[in-house]
Amino acid sequence: MLEALAVQPADALLSLIKLHNADPRATKIDLGVGVYRTAGGETPVFKAIKAAEARLLADQDTKSYLGPDGDMGFVNALIPYVFGADFDATRVAGMQTPGGTGAVRLAIEVAKRAGVGRVWMGTPSWPNHAQIDTAAGLELKTFVHATPAGTADFDALSAVLKAAQPGDAVLLHGCCHNPTGVDYTPAQWDQIAALLAETGVFPIIDLAYQGLGDGMEADAYGLRMVLAHVPEALVAYSCDKNFGLYRDRVGAFYAVSADSAALANAMGNGAAIARAAWSMPPDHGAAAVRLVLADPALTALWLAELDEMRARMAGVRARLAAAQTIGAMSMVPLGAQKGLFSMLPLSPEAILTLRERHGIYMAGSGRINIAGLTDGNIEAFIAALRDVAG
Ligand code: LMR
């Protein structure tokens, strides 16, 4: 039976973890999968999370089931951060998911059940977006996300929205675009919100890096502007990066609508899909986030840790931008891009040479994880780029 299975390629991005681990060179540089690293190259547990985990260990008196929607205290505690302190809470309903991937999966599946036939997506995008869309059986349509100059191709998005058909949805990155780091400006979000309202294209917003761009409030600008203009939307949220909970898989799926019956129905469908896929999300990380958000001192500690991460990444970006040009590549746009990622226009051969000759690991798309660069390796990285692209 099993011999009939088609051979599947390993996930190209996740394979980099193993490849990097197997490289014995002390000078190797990991710019692959999207995890934050300190200037010392570590990905520590947030201090605020450690403190919350200590409380969980001391106080949690059961690990009994919670149900398919997970920890609703966690889901509700995030609402003011995601949607704004003044957001009408009766317009939103949510449930916990295993990471941002679980949330995107629910959003796409619920959209399909609601009658969405096609999903528009700017490319390049996080490779899993296309995989989830295809796995859910939705038609995927693409447009160009970024211009060669490293800014958002707003005209491409706007043309797609204007030409959309009934039943079309658009999947937008709320902030810190993965893989390009190229975000829409606030002025562009204003126009996107107006266009969505005008065309009726259904928005699905993936907010996986809130707080890693310009801050928790600023990074929610686009999402909030869209929700101020449209009657309905779906939101996929991840705490894997902004709480450093990667392997604990902490995410949430939200539906927004003024129609309370429609909201309840969206959650009922989400719960049914979750039940058949994972039954219930893992509890530990979400419970820790809930405790952080319930305690003002831990909340302040968490926000300060996020500030430090942003400042470090801004420093790395400034140093890369200061390299000006490497071969035909301008490094300047990297200084203004947001979040963990930027994409370098390198050939597949150059990416392979970087790995084999210099021990530098990056996605095959040319995406680099900015946080993988430190005082100790950034000059070597720039020199290696000059070697392959200069
Ligand atoms: C990434 O893009 O590196 C992360 O979101 C990890 C993942 O799941 O792909």
Side-chain angles (χ1 to χ4, degrees), residues 344-366:
L344 300 174
L346 293 166
S347 66
E349 296 74 36
I351 291 168
L352 193 64
T353 308
L354 282 169
R355 185 188 307 170
E356 289 179 347
R357 190 183 298 162
H358 299 282
I360 295 172
Y361 290 76
M362 66 173 70
S365 60

Side-chain angles (χ1 to χ4, degrees), residues 81-100:
Y81 291 93
V82 181
F83 298 95
D86 301 333
F87 193 75
D88 174 4
T90 63
R91 270 187 79 203
V92 60
M95 56 190 285
Q96 190 203 325
T97 57

Side-chain angles (χ1 to χ4, degrees), residues 13-14 32-35 101 126-128 178 209 241 249 341 367:
L13 190 60
L14 301 185
V33 76
V35 294
T101 300
W126 180 46
N128 218 12
N178 179 3
Y209 297 88
K241 325 286 170 159
R249 314 303 302 137
F341 307 118
R367 186 189 85 170

Side-chain angles (χ1 to χ4, degrees), residues 163-259:
Q165 299 171 6
D168 280 359
V170 64
L171 176 60
L172 296 167
H173 298 229
C175 69
C176 304
H177 186 270
N178 179 3
T180 64
V182 173
D183 283 353
Y184 296 115
T185 64
Q188 287 172 333
W189 276 114
D190 295 351
Q191 292 181 64
I192 293 168
L195 273 170
L196 288 170
E198 190 185 310
T199 59
V201 176
F202 186 70
I204 301 173
I205 301 180
D206 184 3
L207 193 59
Y209 297 88
Q210 190 185 10
L212 272 68
D214 289 324
M216 286 296 289
E217 286 295 297
D219 290 350
Y221 181 89
L223 176 140
R224 294 181 192 174
M225 183 52 64
V226 168
L227 294 181
H229 282 74
V230 302
E232 290 187 321
L234 298 178
V235 176
Y237 193 82
S238 177
C239 294
D240 293 343
K241 325 286 170 159
N242 61 2
F243 285 86
L245 284 160
Y246 313 95
R247 67 172 73 158
D248 279 347
R249 314 303 302 137
V250 186
F253 160 61
Y254 293 98
V256 175
S257 172
D259 177 341

Side-chain angles (χ1 to χ4, degrees), residues 48-60 71 73-74 77 243 284-299:
I49 290 291
K50 272 278 186 207
E53 287 180 312
R55 285 185 204 170
L56 269 182
L57 191 61
D59 300 340
Q60 193 173 51
D71 184 332
F74 153 80
F243 285 86
H284 179 82
V289 170
R290 170 172 49 75
L291 291 184
V292 169
L293 297 181
D295 179 326
L298 289 189
T299 304

Side-chain angles (χ1 to χ4, degrees), residues 279-344:
S279 220
M280 291 160 228
D283 177 68
H284 179 82
V289 170
R290 170 172 49 75
L291 291 184
V292 169
L293 297 181
D295 179 326
L298 289 189
T299 304
L301 179 58
W302 161 62
L303 289 172
E305 292 184 271
L306 266 182
D307 288 347
E308 201 181 310
M309 290 163 70
R310 268 199 317 280
R312 191 182 109 61
M313 290 193 289
V316 173
R317 287 191 175 281
R319 283 179 73 175
L320 290 173
Q324 297 285 331
T325 50
I326 296 178
M329 263 184 328
S330 172
M331 301 296 282
V332 176
L334 275 72
Q337 292 165 0
K338 308 287 179 195
L340 283 179
F341 307 118
S342 278
M343 228 168 109
L344 300 174

